[in-house]
Amino acid sequence: MSHTATLTEKDTLAFHLEKNIDVLARKCYQCGKCSAGCPVAGEMDFSPSMVMRLLQTETPANDEKTLRSYSIWLCLTCEMCLCRCPMEIDIPSVMDFLRQKSLKEKKVNPKARRIIAFHKSFLNSIKYTGRLFELGLTLDYKRRSLTLMQDVALAPRMISRGKLHFIPEIIKGRPQVAKIFKKTSKKEN
Amino acid sequence: MARIGVFICHCGENISATVDCAKVAETIGKLRHVVLSTEYKYMCSDPGQTLIKDAIKEYNLTGVVVSACSPRMHEPTFRRACAEAGLNPYMCEMANLREHCSWVHEKNDITTEKAIDIVRTQVEKVKLNYALQPIKVPVTRRALVIGGGIAGIQAALDIANTGHRVVMVERSPSIGGHMSQLSETFPTLDCSQCILTPRMVEVAQHPNITLYTYAEVESVEGFIGNFKVKIRKKAKSLDEKICTGCGLCTTKCPQKKIPNEFEQGMGNRPAIYIPFPQAVPNKPVIDRENCTYYIKGKCKVCEIVCPTKAIRFDQPDEILDLDIGAIVIATGFDVKHADFFPEYGYGKYKDVIDGLQFERLASASGPTSGAILRPSDGQVPKNIVFVACAGSRDPAKGIEYCSKICCMYTAKHAMLYKHKVHEGKAYIFYMDIRAAGKNYEEFVRRAIEEDHVEYVRGRISTIYEKNGKLIVKGADTLLGGQPVEVEADMVVLATAGVANSGAEELAQKLHVSYDSHKFFAEAHPKLKPVETNTAGIFLAGACQNPKDIPDSVSQASGAAVKVAGLFSQDELTREPLVAQVNRMAPPLYSTCVGCFLCQPVCPYQAIEREEFKARDGKLIKAVAKINEGLCQGCGTCVALCRSKSIDLHGYSNQQVYAEVMALLNEY
């Protein structure tokens, strides 16, 4: 792509997005089709189109706002926005990139604490058993988020229906899974 | 012996600021065959031209090099000056010292060196120039207008009113085009048919216009002033001279369930039909694809009921050969339909319609006689949503451009709805309101302020059906992308305007270029918006890009003037800078070996076959010949010719070689 040829080094989010994941925030012309289709836009502090606009301004204040926003953590990566976007801007990847950046720079929105706790518990479960271990996930999540009593009433019914096992099922290819984790965590650093 | 005069222009300071003109003149003056080398502040001015004219006479010059600006700018000026002094104009060459040198370089010695080099090449070239005569071609004073919409009608009437003959070809059974389908027109809300139908009748009755409806252009050959056009008159299956247009056959035809094209599928028509009551000509045609007789071999009800016995089932297509001098393309456009949009239901929701369908609903002559009723159950919609930019400005859908007319007609649609359904609510989801045009912005403001149309800035993401309502999911981007959900009874998509079906094939038949969206391409986006890159073929209306009625009409009148201008000449003259295949005495005739590889590469179909025959008619040799009327002097054939038999006048191989050698050699 020709646009990379004229890329000048800048410490803005828009620049990093272009350099790292080849997404051009400036392509967005604010039609709002992403926000219109986003299932969680109503909960967001900045709707997807607003996030794109914040990135377009390329000012430190707005970049800060973006990294500290709740929106980037609410994104479900359902890709409805990408599917609808007339300019084919990969907003889910943008959100993913912003989440990593936000974590690295310790600018995580306080409201996103539980979401991150869930992410970590989920990944831990995969890391150690190779697949989702529901009970482990639940306990780990509760420990991290301190939501000890949330949804406890559901537990008996789930156990009786065989949805919550006490012993994790462990897959055969655990070393390979470990390798994936090792490789991706190395890449991040 | 060549006697060359070199005239170096300062162009005010444009050249002399960076190039040492005196030094250039001095150096060039020392070259062989240069008998005069002089400089002047403004060579194109009257005294400058007089300087050249006097020098030609005084020094008896055989060639002139004017070292000044681009030949695009002043070559005609200086060639005319030379001609006035009695020198063949093609003995004058220009060295471009301005665009190619002084404007693009700093002032220093190397710049002057380069200027000298540029002039030297032209001195060497002009030594090999030879006298050329302008090519003259005759003109057939009859125009062909392809397409009978408002643009075609306007162009045809304007040409016909200058006293020239016009042939109009329209592929559907009636002229009128999309404009005849519209209800009211923005920004005045006057009835479209009321202003159009008198024009349609005028076309049919004009003594200078020959109208062929239900006909298509089969092939086009020839060149400006001398086109040979084949027109296929599709069989209407009736004798037009006998038919009175009483319409009895259309009421008796048993086949009645064919979607009506004129009503955009909102109503049905029989197999023998008149597209709409005001059609011109107002005589039916039989749609053979859907007629029971042509499918099953029996029926013939129309033949039985026809009071004048005008039905002709065995009528064949007719091919007409016409000599045409100029062509106006006015084939119009089409709109995308709801089935183009997966997110808006792929056309499976009956109440999601396109703008042209809404026009038919709102039209007094439409399927509902002008009542806004939703297609699914015939109820009056209480909530109606208009979606602007449906498909337009959407690179993901392959349509990057703005369709230009949708902002205005959407405002009009919402207004018409509010005028007919007072208690209803009309939403318009838009991205920008583009209302550039006389009284256009005022019209949009009227829709918002007086008719209370609710404009929401944001694009619709999804439309789905729930409990008999259409749920329209949008966002208000002026409120930070806040989600907006409307329970609508009907949705109108202002779908993108696209090139008409068959535009690409027609462009190929006419050898005119078209863009990636299959719209016909103009010769220059600003200065030649009416011309195509093929001389003698002009554009009018929305076949070039989506246009509203005033724009189409103005362009059509523009095209008509171009045609009239062409027809005002007895014969056409054109630059003789064309290619030529050499000829020599028998038995060789030409060094051309007759491989005809040049034929397929010629972009202008200018290469013909010439045969030399003995007295007994036996073929001796077939060689290529270039039609001077068609050749544009591009030189592709020259580069390709294996036996080096083709040369380009004004840019011969020898001349170009001399230019290159001038640069390589010391002087």
Side-chain angles (χ1 to χ4, degrees), chain B residues 458-475:
Chain B
R459 219 172 198 168
I460 298 300
S461 170
T462 309
I463 297 170
Y464 59 92
E465 215 167 34
K466 198 172 159 189
N467 305 330
K469 293 271 185 188
L470 291 162
I471 312 294
V472 180
K473 286 190 73 171

Side-chain angles (χ1 to χ4, degrees), chain A residues 64-101:
Chain A
E64 184 82 10
K65 250 187 208 172
T66 315
L67 290 181
R68 290 194 187 280
S69 76
Y70 187 35
S71 303
I72 57 175
W73 296 102
L74 275 178
C75 170
L76 302 167
T77 326
C78 70
E79 300 200 343
M80 177 68 109
C81 47
L82 170 59
C83 163
R84 295 282 189 254
C85 179
M87 305 306 279
E88 295 172 280
I89 301 171
D90 191 349
I91 303 175
S93 296
V94 171
M95 295 295 194
D96 209 28
F97 182 84
L98 293 175
R99 280 194 289 267
Q100 289 176 28
K101 190 100 175 151

Side-chain angles (χ1 to χ4, degrees), chain B residues 11 95 113-114 134 147 234 275 325 353 364 369 472 476 478 557 577 631 636 658:
Chain B
C11 196
E113 276 299 299
K114 179 173 172 183
K234 289 180 279 184
I353 60 173
S369 306
V472 180
D476 191 331
L478 297 179
S557 288
L577 305 177
C631 176
T636 310

Side-chain angles (χ1 to χ4, degrees), chain B residues 397-544:
Chain B
K397 287 190 166 34
I399 303 172
E400 300 90 349
Y401 57 85
C402 163
S403 293
K404 197 178 176 187
I405 52 175
C406 337
C407 284
M408 291 308 296
Y409 79 61
T410 300
K412 177 190 79 181
H413 285 174
M415 245 184 199
L416 291 178
Y417 169 76
K418 289 291 285 188
H419 292 172
K420 289 180 175 177
V421 188
H422 302 298
E423 70 288 358
K425 193 136 182 61
Y427 297 87
I428 295 181
F429 283 86
Y430 72 102
M431 281 168 58
D432 296 290
I433 304 173
R434 296 185 168 172
K438 194 172 179 179
N439 290 326
Y440 284 12
E441 175 64 18
E442 296 91 318
F443 182 79
V444 174
R445 292 312 309 170
R446 212 172 109 200
I448 298 170
E449 290 165 21
E450 288 174 27
D451 294 314
H452 303 281
V453 174
E454 177 114 2
Y455 270 78
V456 185
R457 198 202 168 282
R459 219 172 198 168
I460 298 300
S461 170
T462 309
I463 297 170
Y464 59 92
E465 215 167 34
K466 198 172 159 189
N467 305 330
K469 293 271 185 188
L470 291 162
I471 312 294
V472 180
K473 286 190 73 171
D476 191 331
T477 56
L478 297 179
L479 292 175
Q482 199 181 84
V484 176
E485 214 172 271
V486 180
E487 283 188 10
D489 300 306
M490 191 160 118
V491 178
V492 183
L493 306 175
T495 52
V498 292
N500 217 336
S501 61
E504 192 175 15
E505 292 84 349
L506 184 66
Q508 286 166 357
K509 274 179 201 165
L510 293 165
H511 313 298
V512 230
S513 48
Y514 50 95
D515 64 20
S516 55
H517 301 290
K518 317 238 188 318
F519 283 116
F520 291 93
E522 61 284 334
H524 187 282
K526 293 171 196 84
L527 301 178
K528 287 183 174 181
V530 176
E531 292 94 329
T532 63
N533 58 353
T534 305
I537 303 185
F538 306 99
L539 299 176
C543 63
Q544 182 186 19

